């Protein structure tokens, strides 16, 4: 018995035990010309079969009911709307039996017996056919009478068991209650689905950033559950003494087993109302919120309020074109192509174009499907991966997704209007080149100055007026598919290409010129080959980013620093240059749709010291609680640099990390 049948049987058994008592249709509905189907489930020897799952489906899709046969093999449905119904029966040890068309008449009970044929073993001696006992036949007759009574009219149109009516009868066991419609399996999709978005494109599980399962293990009309677990072991060849890895949104600790993600939740859907919730525990619950500085605006601890879920949104589905969804809340962002969840991706550590761009948005999303292959999705959001709004303007953006075939995907993401920096003191009295760090950039236009130096700084900046724009586009192409004929060799080959450009302007910074330049340019390319009918896959690739101004660089957690605090050991000021590149080789073993075992090696390079070295980035004795200050003494008031005798983190320009792990998604 497969797991889906087993779970459904468990639900029905729970209903039979009374767990769902009271979920039957109201009596008033039953009195409105309802009909009934009753009968006996037997084997080919005419012996009753108990605990068979019997399901009734209306041919026009207008309803579904389920029950289980009693110890005497009797089953009944006493509340069926008139029409044409199909009946199927399942029980362990027998093949499923389906009866395609049974007419249910108003206020009448229809008798229909079901015979389960046993698979043909070769018995040592042929069994002797048995005859159903009189009590069993009487039970059927009693069930028919009960169903007819519930239908308010005598069972004049129902078949009756010969000679059973005059025989003494025992009381029939009450019919098992039907399962609530909300807990029933969804109606199967039509064989040729011309309505559901992307349904005509076949299996899209090969796409980077997309889960590969073809259908959920368990599903109901009301709820589709989802469970994710991600555990890894990672090792930096810099061998940091504090086991800390920086500069990534996927890789955080070295030389340790760590739980990256533990999530559970799913999708709720009923009468066009929709909601999605997915919890977030593990390393992600700490590492994602620390990259959002918006919580420093105003009161209430938004990081703690939001850290334990990755998605929480609700909305409504309108039957317009091929669908129109309007949702509000926290939803995942696919800027950078890769999914927030590592299970969905071709590699564990993506390049900077993905790792340094948003994983979530907080706001309003509209998804319109004008055709079956096209999605247009505008956003009105608080900001660039932010729980709150930094300044006066919210962020605005959107996505256009086009999947014209099973071999091609194009996605275009745009972000604009957001003012995504913590505001500074306006009209600062200190002049250019002084130590007013709230408004005065450091190192502006002078890439050769030491980190933290005010020497050669550009003009003052009013960060509350700085606006961010960003464009992120991707192309995915499957250029070979063996269509199941590859044997142990190559089964598929595909590549993904992503290119990004963005900048900040206004308030004293500029997109393309001047000492206060703020710009981002990045590209990443990955090629993936599947083997042995998709049992294994190898991905190679990497990318680069050029980010003068460092506004999309991830703040290293030196002395506990976050995006809000910043760090004097790695300043992120307008004009400061930063160029980084990386490459990955990833191997995945996928014995089924629910688990991935992986191994990966990543090389990363930075134009300035950035990656954790052997000495680590944690001060002796631990963090001192002041991540924005020098450890051991104050900064030089003229240069802004930490004193020579102070503690300094060990930052390197190169890093190699290898890792292994397992990821599960149900």
């Amino acid at each position: 018995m497969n797991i889906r049948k087993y779970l459904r049987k468990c639900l029905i058994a729970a209903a039979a035990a009374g767990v769902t008592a009271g979920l039957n249709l109201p009596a008033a509905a039953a009195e409105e010309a309802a009909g009934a189907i009753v009968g006996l489930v037997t084997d080919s020897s005419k012996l009753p079969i108990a605990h068979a799952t019997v399901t009734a489906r209306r041919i026009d899709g207008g309803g579904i009911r389920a029950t289980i046969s009693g110890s005497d093999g009797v089953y009944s449905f006493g509340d069926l709307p008139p029409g044409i119904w199909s009946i199927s029966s399942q029980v362990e040890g027998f093949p499923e039996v389906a009866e395609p068309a049974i007419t249910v008449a108003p206020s009448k009970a229809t008798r229909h017996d079901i015979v389960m044929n046993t698979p043909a073993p070769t018995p040592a001696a042929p069994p002797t056919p048995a005859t159903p006992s009189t009590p069993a036949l009487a039970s059927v007759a009693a069930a028919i009478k009960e169903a007819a009574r519930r239908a308010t009219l005598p069972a004049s149109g129902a078949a009756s068991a010969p000679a059973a009516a005059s025989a003494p009868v025992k009381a029939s066991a009450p019919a098992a209650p039907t399962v609530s419609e909300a807990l029933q399996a969804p109606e199967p999709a039509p064989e040729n689905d011309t309505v559901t978005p992307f349904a005509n494109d076949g299996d899209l599980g090969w796409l980077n950033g997309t889960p590969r399962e073809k259908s959920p293990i368990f599903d109901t009309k009301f709820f589709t559950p989802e469970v994710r677990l991600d555990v890894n072991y990672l090792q930096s060849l810099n061998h940091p003494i504090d086991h800390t890895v920086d500069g990534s949104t996927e890789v955080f600790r070295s030389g340790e087993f760590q739980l990256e993600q533990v999530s559970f939740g799913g999708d709720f859907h009923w009468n066009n109302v929709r909601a999605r919730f997915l919890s977030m525990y593990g390393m992600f619950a700490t590492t994602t919120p620390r990259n959002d500085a918006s919580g420093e605006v105003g009161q209430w601890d938004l990081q703690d309020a939001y850290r334990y879920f990755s998605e929480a949104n609700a909305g409504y589905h309108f039957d317009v074109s091929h669908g129109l969804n309007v949702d509000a809340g926290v939803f995942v962002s696919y800027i950078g192509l890769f999914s927030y969840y590592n299970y969905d991706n071709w590699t564990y550590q993506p390049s900077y174009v993905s790792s340094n761009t948003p994983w979530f948005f907080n706001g309003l999303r509209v998804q319109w499907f004008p055709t079956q292959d096209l999605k247009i999705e505008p956003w009105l959001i608080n900001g660039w991966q932010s729980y709150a709004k930094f300044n006066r303007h919210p962020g605005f953006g959107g996505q256009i997704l086009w999947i014209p075939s099973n071999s091609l995907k194009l996605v275009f993401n745009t972000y604009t209007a957001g003012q995504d920096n913590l505001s500074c003191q306006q009209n600062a009295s200190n002049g250019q080149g002084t130590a007013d760090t709230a408004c005065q950039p450091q190192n502006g236009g002078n890439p050769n100055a030491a980190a933290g130096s005010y020497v050669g700084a550009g003009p003052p900046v009013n960060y509350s007026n700085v606006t961010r724009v960003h464009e992120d586009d991707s192309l995915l192409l499957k250029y070979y598919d063996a269509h199941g004929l590859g044997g142990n060799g190559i089964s598929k080959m595909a590549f993904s290409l992503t290119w990004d450009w963005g900048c900040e302007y206004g308030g004293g910074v500029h997109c393309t010129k001047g000492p206060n330049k703020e710009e981002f340019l990045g590209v990443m390319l990955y090629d993936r080959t599947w083997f042995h009918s998709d049992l294994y896959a190898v991905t190679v690739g990497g990318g680069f980013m050029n980010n003068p101004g460092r506004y999309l660089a991830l703040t290293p957690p030196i002395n506990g620093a976050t995006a809000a605090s910043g760090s004097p050991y790695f300043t992120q000021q307008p004009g400061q240059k930063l160029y980084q590149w990386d490459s990955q080789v990833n191997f995945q073993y996928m014995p089924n749709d629910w688990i991935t075992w992986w191994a990966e090696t990543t090389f990363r390079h930075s134009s300035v010291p950035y990656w954790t070295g052997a000495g680590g980035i944690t001060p002796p004795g631990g963090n001192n609680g002041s991540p924005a200050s020098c450890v051991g003494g104050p900064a030089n008031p003229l240069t802004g640099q930490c004193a020579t005798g102070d503690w300094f983190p060990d930052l390197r320009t190169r890093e190699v990390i290898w890792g292994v792990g397992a990821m599960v998604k149900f």
Side-chain angles (χ1 to χ4, degrees), residues 10 98 130 142 148 162 169 213 256 261 283 292 311 315 362 380 386 391 402 489 549 563 573 636 654:
C10 289
V169 299
E213 77 272 14
E256 301 171 347
Q261 177 188 6
M283 293 294 295
D292 173 23
E311 295 178 75
N362 190 2
L380 178 63
S386 61
N391 295 291
W402 185 45
Q573 300 292 330
N636 185 309
R654 294 186 178 187

Side-chain angles (χ1 to χ4, degrees), residues 155-222:
S156 57
S160 59
S166 59
V169 299
K170 67 179 181 180
S172 175
T178 58
V179 177
S180 169
E181 185 179 0
L183 299 179
Q184 296 171 10
E187 299 294 340
E191 186 172 343
N192 183 24
D193 189 343
T194 60
V195 177
T196 305
F198 311 118
N200 60 338
D201 292 322
D203 180 14
L204 296 175
W206 66 271
L207 291 170
N208 194 2
T210 304
R212 66 179 182 273
E213 77 272 14
K214 300 170 182 61
S215 61
I217 295 176
F218 178 68
D219 198 5
T220 72
K221 291 184 177 180
F222 172 65

Side-chain angles (χ1 to χ4, degrees), residues 296-554:
E296 296 297 306
V297 179
Q299 301 302 315
W300 314 117
D301 191 342
L302 295 182
Q303 288 192 341
D304 278 352
Y306 283 88
R307 71 171 64 248
Y308 294 115
F309 60 85
S310 58
E311 295 178 75
N313 56 75
Y316 194 82
H317 171 81
F318 296 89
D319 293 320
V320 176
S321 303
H322 287 262
L324 177 68
N325 304 322
V326 180
D327 305 309
V330 176
F331 51 92
V332 293
S333 157
Y334 280 88
I335 289 183
L337 182 64
F338 278 63
S339 168
Y340 185 12
Y341 312 123
N342 296 327
Y343 174 90
D344 303 342
N345 299 328
W346 287 0
T347 67
Y348 201 78
Q349 171 67 68
S351 190
Y352 311 101
V353 167
S354 178
S355 192
N356 293 36
T357 52
W359 291 124
F360 70 85
F361 290 135
N362 190 2
L364 178 70
R365 171 184 68 183
V366 177
Q367 298 176 316
W368 177 42
F369 300 88
T371 72
Q372 200 172 9
D373 299 326
L374 179 66
K375 179 184 74 170
I376 299 174
E377 179 180 302
W379 316 315
L380 178 63
I381 53 183
N382 288 341
W384 180 270
Q385 186 168 305
S386 61
Y387 298 129
K389 188 171 68 172
F390 282 92
N391 295 291
R392 292 173 300 166
H393 295 170
F396 178 78
Q399 179 186 93
I400 296 176
L401 172 63
W402 185 45
I403 307 179
S405 71
N406 182 256
S407 299
L408 178 64
K409 171 183 174 180
L410 288 167
V411 58
F412 307 94
N413 296 297
T414 300
Y415 177 84
T416 187
Q419 296 176 322
D420 301 304
N421 294 276
L422 291 176
S423 61
C424 68
Q425 176 188 350
Q426 298 185 33
N427 303 317
S429 58
N430 294 329
Q432 178 176 339
T434 61
D436 184 359
T437 57
C439 289
Q440 181 61 57
Q442 306 164 19
N443 283 27
N446 185 4
N448 297 319
S453 173
Y454 301 111
V455 177
V461 173
N462 181 355
Y463 285 103
S464 63
N465 287 338
V466 174
T467 298
R468 181 174 300 178
V469 296
H470 198 93
E471 180 69 21
D472 165 82
D473 304 325
S474 293
L475 163 69
L476 292 93
L477 178 66
K478 181 173 63 173
Y479 56 89
Y480 175 77
D481 194 332
H483 298 289
L485 303 178
N488 295 339
I490 295 175
S491 51
K492 290 185 183 73
M493 301 177 76
F495 75 83
S496 70
L497 173 65
T498 302
W499 56 95
D500 280 44
W501 180 85
C503 74
E504 293 190 325
Y505 64 91
V509 302
H510 305 276
C511 280
T512 58
K513 62 181 181 179
N516 286 347
K517 182 179 178 180
E518 296 268 87
E519 186 183 26
F520 181 92
L521 176 65
V523 174
M524 65 179 181
L525 173 66
Y526 289 95
D527 189 88
R528 183 172 175 91
T529 301
W530 291 259
F531 301 89
H532 203 313
S533 299
D534 302 343
L535 182 62
Y536 313 100
V538 175
T539 302
V540 295
F544 74 88
M545 77 168 186
N546 186 32
N547 187 205
R550 303 180 182 179
Y551 67 95
L552 288 189
L554 302 170

Side-chain angles (χ1 to χ4, degrees), residues 87-332:
I87 296 290
S88 63
S89 180
Q90 297 174 319
V91 68
E92 189 171 5
F94 294 84
E96 181 177 355
V97 172
E99 306 288 344
I102 299 172
T103 300
V104 174
S107 303
K108 294 184 181 293
T110 300
R111 167 82 177 273
H112 186 84
D113 292 343
I114 301 172
V115 178
M116 309 292 290
N117 292 315
T118 309
T122 346
T128 303
T131 303
S133 63
T134 298
L137 295 175
S139 295
V140 176
I144 293 174
K145 289 183 178 181
E146 173 63 15
R149 185 191 66 77
R150 291 174 62 188
T152 72
L153 289 176
S156 57
S160 59
S166 59
V169 299
K170 67 179 181 180
S172 175
T178 58
V179 177
S180 169
E181 185 179 0
L183 299 179
Q184 296 171 10
E187 299 294 340
E191 186 172 343
N192 183 24
D193 189 343
T194 60
V195 177
T196 305
F198 311 118
N200 60 338
D201 292 322
D203 180 14
L204 296 175
W206 66 271
L207 291 170
N208 194 2
T210 304
R212 66 179 182 273
E213 77 272 14
K214 300 170 182 61
S215 61
I217 295 176
F218 178 68
D219 198 5
T220 72
K221 291 184 177 180
F222 172 65
F223 179 57
T224 306
E226 183 172 331
V227 177
R228 292 177 181 261
L229 289 97
D230 180 350
V231 61
N232 63 46
Y233 180 91
L234 301 161
Q235 179 64 63
S236 167
L237 298 191
N238 288 342
H239 301 285
I241 192 172
D242 61 353
H243 303 281
T244 303
V245 177
D246 73 295
S248 172
T249 53
E250 297 78 21
V251 175
F252 311 111
R253 302 280 297 182
S254 175
E256 301 171 347
F257 288 97
Q258 289 293 340
L259 276 170
E260 181 114 331
Q261 177 188 6
V262 181
S263 298
F264 51 85
D267 294 285
F268 301 82
H269 29 72
W270 188 255
N271 289 341
N272 286 33
V273 178
R274 32 187 278 135
R276 176 167 172 81
F277 171 80
L278 199 65
S279 65
M280 182 61 76
Y281 296 95
M283 293 294 295
F284 274 159
T286 293
T287 57
T288 298
R290 57 90 55 191
N291 288 323
D292 173 23
S294 69
E296 296 297 306
V297 179
Q299 301 302 315
W300 314 117
D301 191 342
L302 295 182
Q303 288 192 341
D304 278 352
Y306 283 88
R307 71 171 64 248
Y308 294 115
F309 60 85
S310 58
E311 295 178 75
N313 56 75
Y316 194 82
H317 171 81
F318 296 89
D319 293 320
V320 176
S321 303
H322 287 262
L324 177 68
N325 304 322
V326 180
D327 305 309
V330 176
F331 51 92
V332 293

